[in-house]
Amino acid sequence: MFQIDFKSRRSVRDQIVDNFKHLINTGLLQPMEEVPDIEEISVGLVINPNTCQKAYAELEKQGYFYFNIDSGWIVVDQNARRQMSSLSNAYASHANIKPRNHEYYVIAENLTKYLGDSLVLNELNIDIKKGSIYGLMGVNGSGKTTLIKHLAKIYQSDYGEIFVEQTPINQVSQLSIGYLPDETSFLPNYTMRKMSSFFESKHKKNWDYERYQDLLEKFDLNEEQKLDTFSSGMKKQAALIFALSAMPDFLLLDETLDGLDPIVRHYVAREIIKDVAERQMTVFVTSHNINELDGICDTIGIIDKGHIIVERDVDDLRSNIHKINVAFSPGSITGNPYAGLNLLFKEDLGGTDLIVVHGQESSIASAIKRHKPILYNHMPMTLEEIFIYEKAEGNPEE
């Protein structure tokens, strides 16, 4: 039904919108036909539910969808768009569709931490929305693990504070936190079965035994094998099984997704997205490789020397930075064909220009095509490339 290309230059949000519009315009989805709800499509496609919500909101804004209290999301009868306009945003007030709470759930203000004589967190500020998957990228030694240990209530700050729903984190008693450190360890001589009993005793209210059994089967781990005989990858999988089965409110993953087998990573991403969609679990995941976070996170931050230097919505990033190959006929251009554009990078490749431009795609294309280029090739960008150019000062290289 859908074709989502995570390597495409177009954001996943825009691809969802385009797919639904194609299905409607070709008649595969008929007027007044029900469509999958946000939770169903996010879990089915293993896509961040916040991204799906933005796509549905855009389709509603464009007059393709509306929400019916009794039936859910429905394709608009194109002949009745005006009559349906009064239903705009009806889903946000309906109990069966969980509106994302876009008030910040976790806030760190001026968080400062010294380890010995080293300043590891330097007046760090971060905002995490409820029901979001926030990915933090940074090189080793940038402060990722120190920050996540503050969020896990393992470290106390020297200065600054972390708030959960406006309450200092150390005063929040009902918050269920799942924390997976970068180096996984278990009690000595414990098997999966014995360790699961230990976690079940710690999480009596939330432990989901059926989920534990299901994940055990999916990851194909031996419940009777001692955990200290597991490989490092198997230990990661075991830790993920325990964390997800505990059904936490706030899941902290310190480089846990890095290097996972692609099949295992798919299972993990699907389970995380399911909890975000159904329970509004909030996830904070760190990595030293930004491409490990691509496709699962709705917000990405970069930490450097204990300070957040970049924090962006992933879909907005993809929609507003574009890499383009452009060529003009020799002698056909006088002046600067890129005048007025927010050029982040420019390189002469010998007859063609490689440019990176910040702005709306339609406006950029219109401005350049006025000069009648013989080549205009809009190229895909990795998330890593996007952040590199996003951090640029905006002066093109000559």
Side-chain angles (χ1 to χ4, degrees):
M1 178 180 177
F2 265 64
Q3 294 180 347
I4 301 296
D5 180 3
F6 291 99
K7 295 182 180 180
S8 170
R9 63 180 174 81
R10 291 183 62 74
S11 69
V12 173
R13 174 194 60 197
D14 292 342
Q15 290 186 63
I16 294 172
V17 170
D18 290 345
N19 271 282
F20 270 119
K21 288 168 68 173
H22 175 75
L23 292 173
I24 292 168
N25 292 334
T26 57
L28 292 174
L29 278 177
Q30 294 292 316
M32 309 309 291
E33 185 174 345
E34 295 179 23
V35 296
D37 63 24
I38 291 168
E39 294 176 7
E40 183 180 350
I41 196 167
S42 63
V43 173
L45 295 176
V46 194
I47 292 172
N48 190 294
N50 294 296
T51 298
C52 296
Q53 186 225 11
K54 292 173 189 173
Y56 276 47
E58 181 61 26
L59 285 159
E60 184 180 47
K61 179 181 177 181
Q62 293 185 25
Y64 285 90
F65 281 6
Y66 77 97
F67 187 81
N68 180 282
I69 292 177
D70 297 318
S71 306
W73 288 99
I74 291 178
V75 177
V76 169
D77 182 342
Q78 301 302 302
N79 295 323
R81 279 190 182 183
R82 291 183 180 177
Q83 294 158 355
M84 294 298 181
S85 62
S86 62
L87 293 170
S88 178
N89 295 320
Y91 73 92
S93 61
H94 187 249
N96 288 341
I97 297 295
K98 302 179 183 69
R100 308 273 156 213
N101 180 4
H102 287 296
E103 295 298 320
Y104 290 119
Y105 179 58
V106 177
I107 297 173
E109 289 188 351
N110 300 317
L111 207 63
T112 302
K113 181 67 175 180
Y114 283 87
L115 293 178
D117 294 330
S118 299
L119 178 61
V120 184
L121 297 182
N122 182 13
E123 297 186 354
L124 179 144
N125 295 288
I126 197 167
D127 303 308
I128 305 169
K129 295 175 183 177
K130 187 173 180 63
S132 70
I133 304 177
Y134 188 112
L136 183 70
M137 197 277 288
V139 299
N140 292 334
S142 59
K144 300 190 304 295
T145 296
T146 302
L147 172 57
I148 212 167
K149 285 184 176 180
H150 280 78
L151 295 171
K153 302 201 286 188
I154 295 171
Y155 281 175
Q156 295 284 331
S157 65
D158 296 322
Y159 178 76
E161 186 66 88
I162 297 175
F163 298 91
V164 178
E165 294 184 323
Q166 301 182 357
T167 301
I169 192 169
N170 291 319
Q171 297 178 23
V172 179
S173 59
Q174 300 300 315
L175 180 67
S176 173
I177 298 176
Y179 168 52
L180 275 69
D182 54 345
E183 294 185 5
T184 306
S185 59
F186 300 101
L187 295 171
N189 295 317
Y190 268 51
T191 63
M192 283 287 296
R193 182 189 295 277
K194 194 171 181 181
M195 201 73 207
S196 71
S197 297
F198 171 79
F199 278 106
E200 184 175 7
S201 68
K202 289 185 62 178
H203 303 277
K204 292 179 180 178
K205 291 184 179 180
N206 297 331
W207 184 260
D208 189 330
Y209 181 74
E210 289 185 5
R211 187 178 208 185
Y212 164 74
Q213 289 291 333
D214 179 57
L215 291 172
L216 194 67
E217 181 179 346
K218 282 180 178 176
F219 293 166
D220 195 25
L221 296 182
N222 183 352
E223 195 178 23
E224 303 303 332
Q225 184 176 345
K226 289 183 178 180
L227 286 157
D228 54 15
T229 68
F230 280 13
S231 68
S232 59
M234 292 168 66
K235 286 179 180 178
K236 264 189 181 182
Q237 294 173 40
L240 283 161
I241 290 174
F242 297 136
L244 291 170
S245 300
M247 307 293 280
D249 303 313
F250 191 24
L251 180 62
L252 306 172
L253 305 175
D254 193 3
E255 303 201 353
T256 310
L257 301 181
D258 291 9
L260 281 179
D261 176 273
I263 295 176
V264 172
R265 192 179 189 280
H266 178 82
Y267 283 145
V268 171
R270 188 182 182 90
E271 292 297 323
I272 289 173
I273 285 169
K274 180 180 178 182
D275 279 3
V276 172
E278 294 180 355
R279 303 192 293 109
Q280 281 199 284
M281 178 178 73
T282 303
V283 183
F284 186 83
V285 53
T286 71
S287 176
H288 61 269
N289 182 354
I290 197 168
N291 291 324
E292 292 281 355
L293 305 176
D294 202 356
I296 187 172
C297 298
D298 51 75
T299 306
I300 296 285
I302 293 180
I303 185 171
D304 182 50
K305 298 178 182 178
H307 197 75
I308 301 295
I309 58 172
V310 177
E311 189 176 64
R312 295 288 188 273
D313 178 280
V314 173
D315 285 316
D316 289 344
L317 267 177
R318 291 197 183 281
S319 299
N320 288 291
I321 294 185
H322 310 277
K323 182 167 68 172
I324 308 168
N325 267 133
V326 185
F328 302 95
S329 298
S332 65
I333 297 296
T334 57
N336 181 6
Y338 312 120
L341 297 179
N342 186 1
L343 219 60
L344 303 180
F345 177 83
K346 176 177 174 290
E347 182 179 5
D348 185 349
L349 300 178
T352 65
D353 291 335
L354 175 65
I355 62 172
V356 178
V357 194
H358 192 280
Q360 292 296 316
E361 179 184 358
S362 58
S363 299
I364 294 166
S366 176
I368 294 176
K369 289 180 179 179
R370 281 200 300 265
H371 299 279
K372 302 188 182 333
I374 57 174
L375 172 69
Y376 182 93
N377 182 22
H378 202 147
M379 303 171 66
M381 296 181 74
T382 66
L383 203 53
E384 183 176 20
E385 285 182 293
I386 291 171
F387 267 100
I388 289 172
Y389 291 118
E390 177 75 9
K391 290 166 60 181
E393 295 182 359
N395 296 317
E397 293 185 19
E398 297 297 330

